[in-house]
Amino acid sequence: MTGGTIALVVLIAVVVIVLLWGVAQYNGFVRLRNLVQESWRQIDVELHRRHDLIPNLVETVKGYAAHERNVFDEVTRARAAAAGPVDSPAQQAVQENALNSALGRLLAVAENYPVLRASENFQQLQAELANTEDRIAAGRRFYNANVRTLNTKVETFPANVIASMFGFTRAEYFEVDDTQVRQAPSVGF
């Protein structure tokens, strides 16, 4: 083999290695993007479950506290906004923050009615809502971990070269921004 042939073989090997690396990086981005989308869909499922429970909770409390109309209206409006279409996780987080706040006020109203607190329906709904909140929190952690992995890969060199070539961008975290919402509501029974 001549020196030119060896150089050509080495050049072809380098090109093949770079192409294989590029394909592996691209496929990794696709996998991470799909994982982020899937984990967002899981949060969406839990949010819909939560939105379906809220009218039942409101109706149960309404029977005992009919004069608290403004609280019921606020929860109903917040639920409708949160259940509506959204463009991004950040927008969904804002709407969920408003719903959390309204739910906190509804549960505070329920504290004033001992018969309601003793109601089996109310206790069941409250337990389901708490379970759903736990599932949303777990889904949020899973989603945000996937977002972190994708964002890290999009920003680190040399993978960021492939990301920019094929239009892979950072994903948004699903965060609670309201400091009041970050604190667990105080509900005493």
Side-chain angles (χ1 to χ4, degrees):
M1 283 183 131
T2 66
T5 306
I6 293 174
L8 182 62
V9 169
V10 168
L11 180 62
I12 290 173
V14 168
V15 168
V16 167
I17 290 171
V18 168
L19 284 175
L20 289 175
W21 174 83
V23 168
Q25 291 298 309
Y26 177 84
N27 289 340
F29 278 116
V30 169
R31 184 182 53 76
L32 285 172
R33 182 188 61 201
N34 290 341
L35 193 57
V36 166
Q37 290 172 348
E38 176 192 1
S39 56
W40 177 251
R41 295 295 171 248
Q42 291 302 320
I43 291 174
D44 197 42
V45 165
E46 294 304 325
L47 291 175
H48 282 292
R49 182 172 187 261
R50 176 187 192 209
H51 299 158
D52 290 344
L53 285 171
I54 290 170
N56 295 330
L57 185 65
V58 168
E59 288 302 315
T60 301
V61 176
K62 262 187 190 179
Y64 291 89
H67 63 282
E68 304 284 355
R69 185 83 180 140
N70 60 336
V71 173
F72 303 133
D73 291 343
E74 183 181 352
V75 170
T76 302
R77 279 192 307 274
R79 180 206 171 268
V86 293
D87 295 328
S88 69
Q91 185 183 16
Q92 183 74 51
V94 168
Q95 291 175 346
E96 291 301 323
N97 289 341
L99 180 57
N100 284 341
S101 181
L103 274 176
R105 284 187 284 286
L106 176 68
L107 293 175
V109 165
E111 286 182 33
N112 297 325
Y113 298 89
V115 175
L116 170 62
R117 290 184 310 210
S119 162
E120 187 177 319
N121 261 358
F122 180 73
Q123 288 177 351
Q124 233 177 350
L125 286 169
Q126 194 172 20
E128 279 297 313
L129 192 57
N131 182 33
T132 301
E133 294 295 331
D134 290 344
R135 291 165 68 168
I136 291 169
R140 182 180 294 155
R141 284 189 301 272
F142 182 64
Y143 171 79
N144 285 340
N146 290 328
V147 167
R148 181 191 64 234
T149 303
L150 175 64
N151 290 350
T152 300
K153 190 168 183 175
V154 165
E155 294 176 348
T156 56
F157 182 80
N160 63 350
V161 173
I162 299 296
S164 64
M165 284 175 52
F166 292 102
F168 291 100
T169 59
R170 292 176 45 86
E172 289 182 51
Y173 286 101
F174 185 46
E175 300 175 305
V176 177
D177 293 329
D178 187 354
T179 55
Q180 221 176 17
V181 174
R182 288 185 184 271
Q183 298 172 352
S186 173
V187 180
F189 289 105

